[in-house]
Amino acid sequence: MSPSQRTLLLVANYDSGVGYAWWLMESFWVALANHYCSQNQVILAYPMISKLPPAIRLAPLLALEQDFNDTRLRAVYRQCRFLHHYKVRTVYFTDQHTLHWRYGLYRFYGVKSIIVHDHTPGLRTTARGPKAWLKWLVHRLPWFGADGVIGATEFVRQRLVKVNCVPPSKCYTAANGLPDQDYLPKALDIHSIFQIPAERKILVMCSRADRYKRVDFVLRCIAHLCTATVKKNIHFLFIGDGPDLVNLSSMATNTGINDCCTFAGRRDDVPAILEGADIAIHPSRGEVGYSLSILEYMRAGLPVVVPDNPSVNAATVHMLSGMIYPEEDVESASKILQQLANDDTLRYRLGSEAKKAMKQYKLELTHRALLDAFAKIDQKRSYAQ
């Protein structure tokens, strides 16, 4: 950025006190603040500030309260006054629209660049016909479209082009990654901790307990395996909390598989638990190409079982770093799980390859791609002027 861009505004979509679920975005804000603080004031705007996360407190930025989620006219006017008062020249949004009428007002009040980082999960319908043409046209008009859009993965970048009709020249990728581990966690004896019979292979899943993550699909697979096989050699361990946790536990009881399932809730020792597991599964209805949980499974050397949904399986190569089943096919998924439970050689080989593949999913590379995207967006804007 040039010295004339006096303030870089980073926009949060949530109260500062719930940052535990948003560590990845926080790492982006810190990386941007460290990079640009010498030439620009960096402000992080939260809708509400209760308690600042440690990383944000230590970063070279100013945290302020200003809600940018409200798009009512009066709220947008307050946003514009904020932008003008702090001489904001660049706005960095997360999961906001790539095209919006208020962006024109922001520019009227002095904003030069609007950048949107898309982390929203799931598949979308490709735009076609008059709707696609209109999207294509409006995204190429000045004022109301974002100057640059960054996808959380290559899958998201392609979705931005095909569904949102953002010009490919405005789209970038900063593929999600995990930070390097300071140390290799020692595997916990999770058979003992959760009182799981020693002869059973442990199938693990870490996610929020809600319908979108399709934990119920795993329970149906376990029920299918319990019916199809005499010997119960797989135990499902679910790590996480959420609105459907009680219903999932009840489903396990009602289908008679509660002795093959453990719902451990939210825990702080997930890396050590994963080191002690045997197989991982992630049947989510949608992610951004893959989830951070999938990367955590891979880092722990677990073979990952995922559906043939491109918003979920982008980090998994079938029979190389994991196994892929037809989405919603209980029988096929169950067969894969049984195969992995019975074949130690296959399980270890896939897990080992998954761990090697993690080299391309380092957070350091994500930060580098993010900063590179910012530089290219700024260069194009400066050239246009």
Side-chain angles (χ1 to χ4, degrees):
M1 290 185 178
S2 65
S4 62
Q5 290 181 303
R6 285 167 283 182
T7 299
L8 166 62
L9 178 66
L10 317 170
V11 180
N13 298 337
Y14 56 89
D15 183 293
S16 63
V18 297
Y20 70 87
W22 295 87
W23 66 265
L24 183 61
M25 279 311 306
E26 288 172 3
S27 81
F28 295 163
W29 296 331
V30 171
L32 288 166
N34 287 333
H35 186 78
Y36 288 114
C37 66
S38 62
Q39 298 182 43
N40 301 266
Q41 176 177 222
V42 181
I43 294 176
L44 172 56
Y46 285 100
M48 184 177 295
I49 296 177
S50 54
K51 181 181 179 182
L52 288 176
I56 299 302
R57 287 202 309 269
L58 297 173
L61 57 78
L62 176 64
L64 298 174
E65 281 192 5
Q66 177 59 55
D67 188 358
F68 279 86
N69 293 321
D70 195 339
T71 57
R72 292 175 296 180
L73 189 58
R74 181 174 294 183
V76 171
Y77 175 66
R78 287 195 295 269
Q79 295 162 17
C80 289
R81 290 184 61 187
F82 180 94
L83 296 170
H84 179 69
H85 176 75
Y86 288 103
K87 297 181 174 61
V88 174
R89 296 297 177 262
T90 300
V91 180
Y92 174 55
F93 279 126
T94 304
D95 299 341
Q96 295 285 358
H97 297 283
T98 58
L99 183 75
H100 203 276
W101 60 266
R102 61 178 171 156
Y103 296 168
L105 291 178
Y106 291 172
R107 290 190 165 92
F108 181 79
Y109 277 86
V111 172
K112 301 299 182 183
S113 292
I114 296 172
I115 300 171
V116 176
H117 201 153
D118 188 352
H119 282 81
T120 56
L123 298 168
R124 305 282 194 278
T125 301
T126 300
R128 303 183 187 282
K131 185 177 181 181
W133 180 85
L134 183 61
K135 282 184 173 183
W136 184 94
L137 176 64
V138 178
H139 268 107
R140 283 156 180 79
L141 296 176
W143 286 78
F144 299 109
D147 297 278
V149 187
I150 303 171
T153 64
E154 178 59 20
F155 166 82
V156 177
R157 191 191 73 82
Q158 292 289 342
R159 191 180 66 190
L160 288 164
V161 173
K162 296 176 181 178
V163 178
N164 296 57
C165 298
V166 180
S169 61
K170 289 186 176 183
C171 295
Y172 304 86
T173 302
N176 283 353
L178 293 180
D180 288 330
Q181 289 179 308
D182 295 331
Y183 65 95
L184 185 64
K186 183 179 179 181
L188 291 176
D189 182 1
I190 51 182
H191 285 92
S192 176
I193 292 173
F194 298 110
Q195 298 181 339
I196 299 171
E199 68 274 9
R200 294 183 186 176
K201 297 295 185 293
I202 296 178
L203 171 68
V204 70
M205 178 179 177
C206 303
S207 79
R208 183 167 169 76
D210 63 37
R211 296 179 182 180
Y212 194 75
K213 296 297 184 179
R214 298 311 313 272
V215 187
D216 61 302
F217 177 83
V218 186
L219 298 183
R220 292 204 298 274
C221 290
I222 297 298
H224 180 81
L225 289 171
C226 288
T227 302
T229 59
V230 177
K231 183 180 179 182
K232 297 179 180 179
N233 64 345
I234 295 180
H235 192 99
F236 177 48
L237 174 61
F238 179 77
I239 309 294
D241 57 12
D244 290 325
L245 188 60
V246 173
N247 291 336
L248 291 168
S249 181
S250 297
M251 179 180 174
T253 300
N254 294 337
T255 53
I257 58 171
N258 57 307
D259 64 331
C260 293
C261 302
T262 298
F263 297 93
R266 185 181 166 197
R267 294 183 63 97
D268 298 324
D269 53 355
V270 172
I273 288 176
L274 295 181
E275 290 290 335
D278 300 290
I279 311 164
I281 188 168
H282 204 83
S284 178
R285 190 171 284 131
E287 299 290 351
V288 296
Y290 50 83
S291 72
L292 293 176
S293 291
I294 288 175
L295 298 186
E296 290 174 342
Y297 305 149
M298 294 170 64
R299 186 169 65 180
L302 296 176
V304 186
V305 180
V306 291
D308 59 353
N309 179 331
S311 78
V312 180
N313 66 20
T316 306
V317 179
H318 186 61
M319 293 304 294
L320 179 62
S321 59
M323 298 183 78
I324 299 174
Y325 62 87
E327 191 169 33
E328 299 297 331
D329 190 332
V330 170
E331 186 172 352
S332 294
S334 300
K335 184 178 179 181
I336 286 174
L337 294 176
Q338 192 65 66
Q339 182 182 2
L340 287 169
N342 293 338
D343 192 335
D344 293 347
T345 301
L346 175 63
R347 196 170 63 251
Y348 295 148
R349 178 175 65 79
L350 296 180
S352 177
E353 290 299 323
K355 200 164 189 172
K356 291 178 184 177
M358 274 301 298
K359 293 179 181 179
Q360 61 186 302
Y361 300 108
K362 290 186 176 183
L363 188 58
E364 177 187 353
L365 300 178
T366 309
H367 289 171
R368 192 181 305 168
L370 176 68
L371 294 173
D372 184 57
F374 262 68
K376 289 178 179 177
I377 293 167
D378 183 65
Q379 184 179 32
K380 287 181 180 179
R381 184 190 62 78
S382 299
Y383 179 78
Q385 289 180 338

